[in-house]
């Protein structure tokens, strides 16, 4: 569903940019949303990020944008109080130009935060943060340490955030909910692929009980609920040129859940010696050195603030989130590739195999991971 340059320009002009818009170009390999960079010229020229938010994945884009406004305003107050740069250390949402808003949009409490075009697409904009660096992989332990420290700070900023947030994706990291989707996907067999996936389906089935046992601890309150990011892979973090975390981006899934999601998903991403979708599973595995560095950085910020149940399950969260990712890639393959963008027909199956190899590697090093957590939690 492509938009003409004229349509893109007219969409971008709905937002309150400074300067004259001179260029709109696609950016990055996002799996869910379509992202563009918008350049303006003139004395107050700037760059902006324009996104078409995937409303099939996020059914309540207005609610999601309201979450993002609330969370970024909260963090901005903290950044200012610490003497930081509020335009670089937290995302800044670019609001609508008031004169482009309809009466209904003015009445909508989130109406200034998004534009819905004539085709039913939702668009939102934020400032582009200049001189920031992103990574697809973590190549050094220092980068892992810094990434852990950055997410630790992000969670600390939000530790006193008390406004209820919209659940932007139902049951996002709730494995009980994922299993109900999974069982339906298997029964539907929409793409006729189930018969050829006996082995892969077995990987999911054999771990069902231990995953449910973990999630029960969240459901019964043993593991507390906090405001968490829920998508902490390395490419969702901006670093500065000194290697410190500058800003946490991609706040679409920021909502209440367990802080363990953020640790687990980061370990899934930072410690992988191969790629998330590596065609050669022999390249894939968890680097204990990277695990140690990330854990050290994260706990340097959070150790006094986590419950014992969180510390006890920190290492397990990497198994949980990686398992969930295997399930989600495989379920999408079974469904006929409806959720994740794919670059080739078997892409979701390749992702499934690569993430499964990572899961096995994490399981094999689980004892050492727990020891490392306790070492830095002291
Ligand atoms: C998606 O949106 P993005 O590319 O940061 C996905 C994550 C997955 C990740 C796998 C909303 O993240 O949950 O872990 O791909 N986001 C959503 O790379 O489903
Ligand atoms: Mg992202």
């Amino acid at each position: 569903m492509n938009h003409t340059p004229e349509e893109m320009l007219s969409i971008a002009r709905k937002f309150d940019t400074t300067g004259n818009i001179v260029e709109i170009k696609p950016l990055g390999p996002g799996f869910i949303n379509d992202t563009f960079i918008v350049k303006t010229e003139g004395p107050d020229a700037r760059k902006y990020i324009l996104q078409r938010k995937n409303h099939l994945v996020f059914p309540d884009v207005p609610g999601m944008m309201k979450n993002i406004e609330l969370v970024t305003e909260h963090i901005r107050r903290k950044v200012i109080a610490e003497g930081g740069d509020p335009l670089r250390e937290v995302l800044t949402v670019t609001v609508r130009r008031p004169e482009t808003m309809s009466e209904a949009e003015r009445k909508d409490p989130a109406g200034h935060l998004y534009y819905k075009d004539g085709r039913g697409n939702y668009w939102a904009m934020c400032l582009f943060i200049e001189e920031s660096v992103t990574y697809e992989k973590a190549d050094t332990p220092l980068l892992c340490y810094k990434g852990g420290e950055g997410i630790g700070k992000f969670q600390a900023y939000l530790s006193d955030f008390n406004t209820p947030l919209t659940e932007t994706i139902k049951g996002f990291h709730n494995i009980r909910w994922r299993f109900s989707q999974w069982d339906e996907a298997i029964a539907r067999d929409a793409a006729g692929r189930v018969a050829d996936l006996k082995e892969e389906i077995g990987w999911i089935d054999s771990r069902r009980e231990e995953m449910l046992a973990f999630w029960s601890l969240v459901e019964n309150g043993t593991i507390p609920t906090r405001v968490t990011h829920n998508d902490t892979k390395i490419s969702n973090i901006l670093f500065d040129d000194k290697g410190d975390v500058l800003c946490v981006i991609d706040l679409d899934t920021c909502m209440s859940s367990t802080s363990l999601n953020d640790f687990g998903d980061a370990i899934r991403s930072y410690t992988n010696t191969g790629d998330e979708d590596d065609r050669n599973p022999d390249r894939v595995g968890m680097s204990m050195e990277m695990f140690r560095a990330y854990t050290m950085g994260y706990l340097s910020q959070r150790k006094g603030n986590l419950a014992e149940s969180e510390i006890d399950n920190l290492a397990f969260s990497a198994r949980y989130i990686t398992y969930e990712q295997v399930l989600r890639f495989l379920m999408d393959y079974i469904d006929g590739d409806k959720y994740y963008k794919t670059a080739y027909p078997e892409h979701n199956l390749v992702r499934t195999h690569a993430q499964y190899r990572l899961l096995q590697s994490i399981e094999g090093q689980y004892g050492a991971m727990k020891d490392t957590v306790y070492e830095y939690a002291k």
Side-chain angles (χ1 to χ4, degrees):
M1 206 194 328
N2 282 327
H3 292 76
T4 64
E6 292 72 32
E7 283 173 314
M8 290 302 296
L9 187 61
S10 134
I11 290 162
R13 283 195 177 137
K14 299 287 188 286
F15 294 91
D16 200 9
T17 56
T18 60
N20 241 343
I21 297 171
V22 286
E23 190 179 275
I24 305 178
K25 273 208 234 131
L27 179 80
F31 287 11
I32 309 287
N33 299 319
D34 296 329
T35 305
F36 301 84
I37 183 154
V38 176
K39 274 192 203 163
T40 70
E41 69 177 12
D44 41 10
R46 285 213 72 122
K47 288 186 195 139
Y48 298 84
I49 295 291
L50 175 65
Q51 275 193 318
R52 185 176 74 98
K53 299 286 188 182
N54 186 331
H55 62 276
L56 302 175
V57 167
F58 299 106
D60 179 7
V61 176
M64 173 171 91
M65 291 309 300
K66 197 69 201 168
N67 282 1
I68 295 176
E69 179 180 58
L70 291 167
V71 162
T72 54
E73 278 178 354
H74 186 89
I75 297 177
R76 191 176 328 280
R77 282 192 289 274
K78 304 267 172 111
V79 169
I80 292 171
E82 287 174 0
D85 183 344
L87 292 180
R88 290 175 60 73
E89 294 175 32
V90 58
L91 271 191
T92 304
V93 176
T94 305
V95 295
R96 288 283 303 281
R97 243 178 239 288
E99 64 273 22
T100 71
M101 290 171 67
S102 66
E103 208 38 48
E105 285 172 330
R106 284 171 211 267
K107 286 196 184 128
D108 170 357
H112 56 300
L113 300 172
Y114 69 94
Y115 169 64
K116 187 177 177 188
D117 71 20
R119 301 197 214 168
N121 292 302
Y122 287 81
W123 299 85
M125 196 183 261
C126 63
L127 284 186
F128 175 80
I129 300 176
E130 303 271 1
E131 284 157 48
S132 57
V133 190
T134 52
Y135 298 90
E136 286 299 318
K137 291 187 68 64
D139 291 329
T140 64
L142 184 61
L143 193 62
C144 293
Y145 180 91
K146 295 291 187 181
E149 192 183 58
I151 283 297
K153 278 191 189 150
F154 178 83
Q155 290 185 349
Y157 282 148
L158 292 171
S159 59
D160 59 345
F161 181 94
N162 293 318
T163 317
L165 292 173
T166 297
E167 188 179 32
T168 62
I169 298 181
K170 182 176 158 58
F172 191 49
H173 289 308
N174 172 344
I175 208 71
R176 197 180 300 285
W177 172 248
R178 293 292 181 189
F179 283 136
S180 66
Q181 294 179 316
W182 166 262
D183 291 339
E184 283 174 21
I186 301 270
R188 222 176 14 240
D189 193 11
R193 290 171 167 168
V194 164
D196 293 329
L197 296 169
K198 291 226 160 53
E199 187 188 346
E200 291 84 349
I201 290 170
W203 300 341
I204 300 300
D205 286 342
S206 62
R207 292 166 175 83
R208 208 186 257 247
E209 292 315 315
E210 63 184 357
M211 297 301 159
L212 283 170
F214 167 81
W215 192 253
S216 298
L217 299 176
V218 177
E219 289 169 326
N220 70 22
T222 305
I223 294 174
T225 295
R226 305 179 189 276
V227 178
T228 51
H229 181 280
N230 297 303
D231 190 5
T232 47
K233 65 181 182 186
I234 189 165
S235 57
N236 285 333
I237 313 292
L238 303 183
F239 292 83
D240 67 16
D241 54 5
K242 296 193 300 294
D244 287 319
V245 168
L246 183 60
C247 180
V248 176
I249 59 169
D250 202 351
L251 303 176
D252 298 350
T253 53
C254 206
M255 50 188 155
S256 289
S257 192
T258 155
S259 65
L260 297 173
N261 298 338
D262 290 353
F263 184 82
D265 198 46
I267 296 307
R268 180 184 77 76
S269 157
Y270 284 75
T271 70
N272 190 348
T273 53
D275 296 328
E276 186 183 68
D277 58 352
D278 219 304
R279 285 177 190 263
N280 177 3
D282 290 341
R283 292 184 57 226
V284 174
M286 190 197 78
S287 155
M288 197 59 208
E289 191 190 11
M290 301 294 187
F291 177 82
R292 174 177 286 275
Y294 190 91
T295 304
M296 203 195 301
Y298 176 71
L299 287 175
S300 74
Q301 302 302 311
R302 298 299 290 150
K303 64 178 170 190
N305 302 291
L306 295 177
E308 205 176 316
S309 59
E310 292 175 291
I311 299 288
D312 289 344
N313 286 285
L314 214 52
F316 190 82
S317 73
R319 286 170 60 178
Y320 181 84
I321 292 287
T322 308
Y323 169 87
E324 183 200 294
Q325 195 65 71
V326 178
L327 182 152
R328 289 173 63 200
F329 283 146
L330 184 55
M331 182 162 75
D332 196 32
Y333 184 68
I334 289 171
D335 273 338
D337 310 310
K338 296 279 185 294
Y339 186 91
Y340 290 108
K341 289 184 193 166
T342 50
Y344 53 90
E346 304 293 297
H347 202 167
N348 273 321
L349 187 59
V350 169
R351 287 167 170 156
T352 303
H353 279 254
Q355 290 286 291
Y356 182 63
R357 183 61 79 92
L358 181 65
L359 176 61
Q360 287 180 303
S361 169
I362 295 174
E363 287 171 344
Q365 301 180 81
Y366 184 52
M369 290 165 72
K370 284 181 84 165
D371 293 345
T372 305
V373 167
Y374 288 124
E375 192 181 320
Y376 293 109
K378 270 191 239 140

